[in-house]
Amino acid sequence: MILDGKKIATEMYDRLWSEILTLTEKPTLWAILVWDSDSPSLRYISQKKRETKKIGMWFSLLHLPKDISEDELIAEVKRLNSDNSISGYIVQLPLPAHINPLRIIRNMNPKKDVDGFHPENQGKIMIWDTTGFSPCTPAWVMKIFEYYNISLSGKIIVVLGQSNIVGKPMAQMCINQWATVVSCNHLTPDISIYTKQADIIISATGHVWLITPEIVRPDAIIIDVWFSVVDGEIFWDSKYDELIAQWNSVTPVPGWVGPMTVAMLLSNTLQAHKA
Ligand code: GUN
């Protein structure tokens, strides 16, 4: 079975659009981008801008020079914190090497941190306090489970990759739903020991074709959230064609990660606006 993230994203955009239509004051999302004008991040930002427009939300881009100092960037962050016309904002990552992203994130107002990167929001996931914002990628993976009525309770889940914005919050969200969770990283000697036992595998590594039919159960659910680009060609973490032929329930349908991530971001922005 194909787990159709594109369909879920489209339905979410429709719901957001109808709700925003009823508001007299429209939500406003800001994005801080510190980099060159030809940075790949600019493409991600353009996608966010396009989608905000479609659902009737305001969007502003604060494009800052790449030689900005850490303190100057923090001053900009604080300015957005105190501007009441801004519902929520993101600081696009990666930042230039001379800037410590953790220091920037710590200075964001957690109530405007619609990416869910601030320690307060990340900590709330740990203690299952649902009043915070969750990082968009793990949040939409949970939406997929909800949409397809996939219960995590008692399941064995393997999470591949342990980044702060995907792997770690993802593992914790699954634990909150009473799953037994194994977190693997690039130093795990043999992931197949774990993946062969898994009911569900969630992969966010950027490692080409890491997940093949040989290392998964034929009935396992595979959620593939990341890809890499080699010589201009996109390769997902999972060998989608072979897994789907083996009856696995699988993402991706190429072109769905972006729409779902942005849909979650805009949903968080609407929530921040209402709060
Ligand atoms: N860089 C790559 N993905 C993301 C994301 O979801 N949010 C931000 N702020 N930066 C990113």
Side-chain angles (χ1 to χ4, degrees), residues 41 44 48 90-94 115 117 136-137 165 226 261:
S41 291
Y44 296 127
K48 288 164 184 164
I90 65 166
V91 179
Q92 186 67 30
L93 302 179
D115 253 335
F117 291 174
C136 299
T137 304
I165 63 178
W226 211 237
T261 308

Side-chain angles (χ1 to χ4, degrees), residues 31-50 59 61-64 66 90-96 115 117 165 226 262 265:
I32 296 182
L33 177 64
V34 184
W35 211 252
D36 295 324
S37 52
D38 61 352
S39 140
S41 291
L42 206 53
R43 277 202 299 280
Y44 296 127
I45 295 273
S46 310
Q47 188 178 24
K48 288 164 184 164
K49 182 176 178 181
R50 201 170 51 240
F59 179 88
L61 173 63
L62 183 55
H63 201 160
L64 300 169
K66 68 175 177 184
I90 65 166
V91 179
Q92 186 67 30
L93 302 179
L95 289 166
D115 253 335
F117 291 174
I165 63 178
W226 211 237
V262 178
L265 178 74

